[in-house]
Amino acid sequence: MGDESRDWPLYEIFIRARSGLDHKHVGSLHASDPEMAIEHARDLYTRRQEGVSIWAVRSSDIIASDPGEAEALFEPARDKIYRHPTFYDIPDEVKTL
Amino acid sequence: MISGFCVTVPPVSRTRGDAMYTQGLDSLGKDCLQDPAEAHRLEERFQQRVDAEEKIEPKDWMPEAYRKTLVRQMSQHAHSEIVGMLPEGNWITRAPSLLRKTILIAKVQDEGGHGAYLYSATETLGVSRDELFRQLLDGSAKYSSIFNYPTPTWADVGAIGWLVDGAAIMNQIPLCRCSYGPYARAMVRICKEESFHQRQGYEIMLRLARGTAAQKQMAQGALDRWWWPSLMMFGPSDRDSKHSAQSMRWKIKRFSNDELRQKFVDTTVPQADFLGLKIPDPELRLDESSGHYHFGPIDWAEFEQVLKGHGPCNRERLEARQRAYDEGRWVREAAAAWADKRRGGRAARAA
């Protein structure tokens, strides 16, 4: 394969299944340009009417959190149980609360 | 570096906010921890996560051997989908009706799609698409030996859908629960589509089996050709399978090769009976006490031969892939040149 062993850029593909729903990550694909990314995503991820809208994002443009930092990022939320409605004791007689 | 304690550390960026996964680094086996105690601690923690049925995601720490096993298995799987397009593609121009032709095109296109899902999932492990193609073309990566058998009649297309896709489904359904997230998700997508493949194949067989004597004979011939290779698709007996035990521990694999093979036989024999076709195994009989079908010994020498490259179509298949790669070169170059030109145009307009 030699000198042309240059993969086309990788795109992450997000599909909106029906109007009213969020776009959801479905996988990735290689394409030489953004238009091809959309066309390939159509062929690859919506052969059976799985979507009504496609987002394609260059994978290298996505910034991801580091699993090694998960504790630092997400642990502080764990002890804040007062953020949940079930934390509060309300007598049964009180309705619609 | 102590082998067995060699573990991969994803390239850690010191700033918060890193790439999604180690893309295209072809970095397998490069970063190794030197400290065996630390490696052992990480491996134990990893196994606990797997045991707790937590999914492992691309950027999570994983043992180097786990990553290598997945790259081997997933890329083999991807290659099998791509090479699997060839035996059936052989019949697209000669399908007996326009409807059968459009169905077959859709099926072969699905196989290409399955290959693409799996390559994309494999790339999350830090190996590039280009490298995966290279391994297929230079023969260093394997693909399922089933696709090295020829498709001399239209009935072979039916038998492939019914038996080969049927065996693939047996193998693939447990993979939807595989411990590696991207592989499991790709398999969910694939399994949803496989059922169409199997049913269209069985329907071809049904049509032929209910047709003229010659058509029924053609269906029987295809069953005779594909039965044993389909049983071989589940791989060597567990006693001889060198990767099985470890893959089970890592929950890459959920059932043994022999269990899945037995399940396939038990499901498929009644389907053959319904067609009025005879499975080419004189030892085949229902064991009333266990409720399972007993079947005759598999010719593993044949399996080994095909795996080593001496099957009926090994050379032809790889030549076809190489030709497709070579003949697609100008398309790839033109697309890259077009993208460059468009970028230049956009930059000029923006200036």
Side-chain angles (χ1 to χ4, degrees):
Chain A
M1 297 192 188
D3 4 323
E4 53 131 14
S5 76
R6 187 172 68 119
D7 272 335
W8 286 339
L10 195 60
Y11 289 83
E12 299 299 322
I13 304 302
F14 301 79
I15 303 278
R16 184 201 294 286
R18 288 195 315 276
S19 70
L21 295 181
D22 294 322
H23 284 77
K24 189 172 167 233
H25 183 241
V26 290
S28 66
L29 52 78
H30 290 273
S32 64
D33 64 17
E35 289 79 4
M36 188 193 276
I38 296 288
E39 283 161 10
H40 280 184
R42 193 268 320 263
D43 289 346
L44 193 54
Y45 292 110
T46 66
R47 287 196 300 281
R48 289 175 175 78
Q49 298 177 296
E50 289 94 336
V52 295
S53 164
I54 299 169
W55 286 352
V57 184
R58 281 281 289 267
S59 309
S60 56
D61 287 342
I62 289 184
I63 298 159
S65 64
D66 179 349
E69 291 187 349
E71 223 169 282
L73 283 173
F74 306 117
E75 283 290 293
R78 179 180 280 186
D79 57 2
K80 296 184 176 54
I81 47 175
Y82 48 82
R83 283 199 163 125
H84 298 278
T86 46
F87 177 76
Y88 301 93
D89 252 341
I90 305 288
D92 289 346
E93 300 92 283
V94 185
K95 300 299 176 197
T96 63
L97 198 68
Chain B
M1 176 196 320
I2 307 160
S3 89
F5 285 109
C6 176
V7 291
T8 303
V9 187
V12 178
S13 98
R14 289 296 158 212
T15 55
R16 180 166 290 174
D18 200 357
M20 286 180 80
Y21 32 76
T22 54
Q23 284 159 29
L25 295 179
D26 292 326
S27 62
L28 303 189
K30 275 185 197 150
D31 305 293
C32 285
L33 283 183
Q34 300 292 331
D35 176 8
E38 172 67 359
H40 187 68
R41 193 188 64 78
L42 285 169
E43 289 216 19
E44 272 193 343
R45 166 96 187 87
F46 173 84
Q47 190 61 48
Q48 281 164 6
R49 292 190 61 197
V50 170
D51 291 343
E53 298 287 339
E54 267 183 58
K55 293 287 182 229
I56 306 301
E57 293 295 341
K59 288 184 39 152
D60 293 341
W61 185 89
M62 62 185 80
E64 177 59 16
Y66 175 81
R67 191 213 285 259
K68 273 191 173 149
T69 300
L70 281 172
V71 169
R72 194 192 62 244
Q73 178 174 335
M74 290 165 69
S75 66
Q76 272 182 21
H77 198 160
H79 298 326
S80 301
E81 300 283 357
I82 297 299
V83 177
M85 297 164 83
L86 297 168
E88 290 176 291
N90 177 38
W91 277 91
I92 287 177
T93 55
R94 288 170 291 155
S97 72
L98 194 55
L99 178 62
R100 291 289 178 198
K101 185 182 180 122
T102 50
I103 291 171
L104 190 55
I105 291 172
K107 178 177 191 289
V108 171
Q109 191 194 13
D110 273 355
E111 308 293 1
H114 297 177
Y117 305 151
L118 287 163
Y119 282 129
S120 130
T122 314
E123 282 177 283
T124 65
L125 292 160
V127 55
S128 70
R129 183 82 58 115
D130 198 58
E131 168 65 12
L132 295 173
F133 282 169
R134 188 192 60 72
Q135 290 173 359
L136 171 64
L137 294 179
D138 74 13
S140 57
K142 299 267 181 272
Y143 55 87
S144 179
S145 64
I146 193 87
F147 301 115
N148 290 315
Y149 290 88
T151 44
T153 73
W154 171 249
D156 291 77
V157 174
I160 288 179
W162 171 37
L163 299 173
V164 176
D165 288 292
I169 290 171
M170 286 288 171
N171 265 324
Q172 288 171 346
I173 285 175
L175 286 172
C176 297
R177 294 191 293 128
C178 159
S179 59
Y180 188 56
Y183 194 21
R185 292 191 287 274
M187 291 319 304
V188 168
R189 194 173 296 282
I190 289 173
C191 284
K192 277 188 196 161
E193 300 182 350
E194 288 285 7
S195 176
F196 142 54
H197 298 178
Q198 194 188 16
R199 289 171 66 108
Q200 67 85 36
Y202 191 77
E203 200 209 30
I204 290 174
M205 296 301 276
L206 193 59
R207 201 64 75 84
L208 291 171
R210 289 177 174 172
T212 64
Q215 285 170 330
K216 186 167 183 182
Q217 186 58 45
M218 187 195 282
Q220 180 65 54
L223 172 56
D224 292 347
R225 278 188 289 282
W226 291 93
W227 175 253
W228 289 107
S230 297
L231 294 196
M232 293 175 197
M233 279 177 72
F234 295 92
S237 172
D238 302 319
R239 292 183 300 280
D240 311 314
S241 176
K242 53 183 173 176
H243 305 298
S244 274
Q246 182 60 65
S247 286
M248 294 274 227
R249 242 187 325 275
W250 279 332
K251 300 195 191 286
I252 294 173
K253 221 177 142 127
R254 298 273 176 172
F255 298 98
S256 75
N257 295 349
D258 290 330
E259 281 174 299
L260 290 169
R261 187 170 12 245
Q262 184 66 54
K263 204 168 162 206
F264 175 74
V265 172
D266 291 344
T267 322
T268 310
V269 172
Q271 295 169 351
D273 290 344
F274 185 83
L275 293 172
L277 300 178
K278 194 174 171 338
I279 285 177
D281 178 356
E283 289 189 35
L284 187 78
R285 60 177 169 75
L286 183 62
D287 177 13
E288 298 286 354
S289 59
S290 69
H292 293 300
Y293 283 91
H294 164 83
F295 53 93
I298 293 172
D299 181 2
W300 291 112
E302 176 187 321
F303 179 76
E304 290 298 328
Q305 280 304 303
V306 179
L307 209 58
K308 280 189 190 132
H310 309 304
C313 301
N314 294 58
R315 257 188 65 186
E316 191 184 327
R317 299 294 184 236
L318 275 186
E319 278 168 10
R321 287 311 311 155
Q322 184 67 54
R323 197 164 56 245
Y325 188 82
D326 294 341
E327 291 177 357
R329 186 182 306 268
W330 71 269
V331 180
R332 294 191 296 276
E333 287 171 358
W338 172 246
D340 282 346
K341 189 175 163 186
R342 292 286 295 270
R343 260 196 305 278
R346 249 185 241 130
R349 273 198 302 281

